[in-house]
Amino acid sequence: MDFRELEERLVAFRDARNWAKYHAPKNLAISAAVELGELLEHFQWESDGEVLEAVKDPAKREAIADEIADVVIYLTLLAHELGIDLDEALERKLEKNGEKYPVKS
């Protein structure tokens, strides 16, 4: 699934529930930050090794995946509200990063 398809599905889901009135850019940005905080709770006080061990548990892995998905959902809806094409933005950013951080030989 690409971001355009994801955006279409999310907007349809949102609109079917009449939630667009809550999706002002500020609210979506705050919601993304809140969800990112919830994701970070899974890593708080844990070493990298402990986190990698914990995600071997399917329930823990799913909980982390759900939080990552929530962040992506809110950022996708934010981009929609701001008229930003995520596919184009990501391609452009990858190009910029490639120029800024070239592979050293």
Side-chain angles (χ1 to χ4, degrees), residues 6-95:
L6 176 62
E7 179 182 342
E8 289 172 5
R9 290 181 64 189
L10 291 172
V11 169
F13 182 91
R14 176 197 72 185
D15 290 350
R17 288 154 181 81
N18 198 29
W19 291 347
K21 60 189 169 202
Y22 306 114
H23 285 186
K26 177 190 71 139
N27 293 341
L28 292 167
I30 290 169
S31 295
V34 168
E35 293 298 338
L36 188 56
E38 291 178 10
L39 173 62
L40 289 171
E41 287 180 335
H42 291 280
F43 299 89
Q44 187 176 24
W45 316 121
E46 305 287 340
S47 68
D48 290 340
E50 289 169 325
V51 171
L52 292 173
E53 187 62 32
V55 296
K56 291 178 182 176
D57 172 9
K60 181 72 169 177
R61 182 180 204 85
E62 182 175 345
I64 291 172
D66 284 350
E67 296 304 340
I68 293 170
D70 285 340
V71 172
V72 171
I73 286 168
Y74 280 119
L75 291 177
T76 302
L77 288 167
L78 176 59
H80 170 78
E81 292 304 312
L82 297 175
I84 295 171
D85 182 312
L86 280 175
D87 290 311
E88 289 177 11
L90 289 167
E91 285 294 330
R92 187 173 52 253
K93 184 60 177 172
L94 283 172
E95 285 180 31

